[in-house]
Amino acid sequence: MAERASLKRKNSIVNQRAAFGAILFLAACGGSEEVPVNQGPDSVSTPVVWQTERFDTGLTTLSVSPSGEAVFLVGLENEGLKFTNIDGTAISEAAPYRNGISSTGVTAQIDGTYLVLFPGVSRNSDQIVVVVHGDGLLAPIEVELDVSVTGSVEGVCASRSQDDGSIMNIGYWTSVDPTSLYTGSVGAEGTDFTFTPGDIESYEQDLTGCALTDRATIASGRFGIDIRSEGSDPVLIDMPGVPTSVSAISDGSDTNVAMAMSGGEVYVANSEGNFSRVEFAAGLSATGPENVRYLVMTQRADIPGFSSGFLAMDARGADRTSQIVIADYEDLFRQLSDS
């Protein structure tokens, strides 16, 4: 059986910024390196390809399923969680849950049933949960994981697990220890979910966001963006602002990150240490977002017009209502890497 999540610190990496603009970090081996100097252009651009109609309220969650009919898991301020298609039309009833997470879901076969799983936070912010979607379910179902949490859960991120016996890797941080990212893996025994604790990654300041890929751990805070990839030195990027929603994709040794900033701007960065602000051009029937709260990238390629996946954003209007705006991320990272 998997352990309960009374996590002990191990293999943590501490980053430290020196004064007078000379930014240094300490690796676990005790060496130090200078943070890469940004070589990216001031801005990169891409057109908006698609947008939904405006929802009646703002979103509290924006997640993407990796396959199947349901494209988005959205949280609505006055309704709870529901699934919508790419037009923003509901394809499920609303469930009275709180999530507050932007992520890509993970597919799994559990006890012979095909399910899509999304990481989340309970309504009281005291538990890590998995939100479940599957054929025959009229609304999202929330299942609590057996994780010992001290304080409230401030944020969660996840990725598909590459290890046999587990389904999903999870990272989270809490109000009691906001400079540490706790990790673990979710598995299944019969129809029950299990949680096995992993390492704890330490940071110099409080976290504001995180993302996991199959080979990298990404965290954000007032320190900027910290990318820790397997077999590579950590990359600390000093961003011009505080990233509050982070999504990442790894392709071989490269990791690309999209982030929404506290002021509503969108930036992209890569594991070479480069970053740029994103300018969105209006499409034929879509306008560029001016204030983005949540964003998520997905590599699902079954949506017409997006052969390599897409970037979905929660675009807030002046009336604080939301609509989902979609753009192609591939050209953004090509512009960034070609600089």
Side-chain angles (χ1 to χ4, degrees):
M1 292 292 290
E3 308 172 39
R4 291 182 62 85
S6 54
L7 302 181
K8 296 182 179 179
R9 294 181 181 274
K10 57 180 179 177
N11 300 332
S12 61
I13 300 172
V14 180
N15 291 333
Q16 185 175 12
R17 245 188 284 203
F20 307 111
I23 305 171
L24 305 177
F25 63 87
L26 302 178
C29 61
S32 63
E33 296 184 21
E34 187 174 351
V35 170
V37 176
N38 180 36
Q39 301 293 326
D42 290 340
S43 64
V44 292
S45 62
T46 191
V48 170
V49 180
W50 189 259
Q51 66 185 25
T52 67
E53 296 294 328
R54 285 211 163 268
F55 296 96
D56 293 335
T57 66
L59 297 184
T60 61
T61 294
L62 176 59
S63 295
V64 182
S65 63
S67 61
E69 180 187 16
V71 176
F72 298 116
L73 170 67
V74 299
L76 300 173
E77 291 176 352
N78 297 331
E79 296 184 54
L81 298 179
K82 66 169 60 173
F83 289 100
T84 76
N85 61 19
I86 199 167
D87 295 317
T89 302
I91 58 175
S92 78
E93 297 178 5
Y97 305 129
R98 169 193 176 274
N99 196 306
I101 303 299
S102 55
S103 69
T104 301
V106 171
T107 58
Q109 282 230 345
I110 299 177
D111 199 31
T113 302
Y114 177 85
L115 301 173
V116 184
L117 312 178
F118 299 88
V121 181
S122 64
R123 180 173 292 276
N124 295 328
S125 299
D126 58 350
Q127 292 291 334
I128 308 292
V129 303
V130 172
V131 178
V132 181
H133 172 71
D135 291 341
L137 295 179
L138 299 179
I141 299 295
E142 181 180 283
V143 180
E144 290 187 358
L145 297 178
D146 187 13
V147 182
S148 294
V149 175
T150 302
S152 60
V153 181
E154 297 294 296
V156 177
C157 50
S159 68
R160 170 176 289 280
S161 175
Q162 302 299 311
D163 298 330
D164 292 339
S166 60
I167 300 167
M168 179 166 55
N169 295 324
I170 280 184
Y172 68 95
W173 73 97
T174 70
S175 59
V176 171
D177 193 4
T179 61
S180 296
L181 185 68
Y182 294 75
T183 68
S185 60
V186 177
E189 293 184 356
T191 58
D192 296 325
F193 289 118
T194 63
F195 180 82
T196 302
D199 294 339
I200 303 175
E201 301 283 348
S202 295
Y203 301 87
E204 61 177 28
Q205 297 183 52
D206 292 1
L207 301 182
T208 58
C210 69
L212 300 179
T213 72
D214 57 359
R215 69 177 310 273
T217 299
I218 300 92
S220 68
R222 294 190 180 278
F223 52 80
I225 289 287
D226 187 312
I227 303 173
R228 303 180 181 183
S229 302
E230 294 178 8
S232 302
D233 292 330
V235 176
L236 180 63
I237 305 176
D238 189 21
M239 299 298 302
V242 181
T244 55
S245 179
V246 183
S247 185
I249 289 174
S250 291
D251 182 10
S253 61
D254 299 325
T255 295
N256 294 317
V257 183
M259 66 204 87
M261 312 299 281
S262 57
E265 308 94 346
V266 174
Y267 277 75
V268 290
N270 60 26
S271 50
E272 297 298 315
N274 299 325
F275 65 86
S276 295
R277 178 174 49 84
V278 179
E279 295 181 351
F280 294 99
L284 293 176
S285 59
T287 58
E290 296 182 359
N291 183 7
V292 174
R293 182 171 179 182
Y294 297 109
L295 56 72
V296 59
M297 290 188 291
T298 175
Q299 291 176 293
R300 64 178 294 168
D302 58 342
I303 305 299
F306 299 99
S307 59
S308 300
F310 57 82
L311 168 65
M313 296 161 283
D314 164 21
R316 293 296 173 102
D319 59 357
R320 302 182 69 179
T321 62
S322 293
Q323 69 179 152
I324 300 172
V325 175
I326 302 173
D328 187 345
Y329 64 73
E330 193 171 34
D331 191 46
L332 293 175
F333 293 113
R334 185 181 301 113
Q335 294 173 56
L336 184 62
S337 63
D338 288 346
S339 60

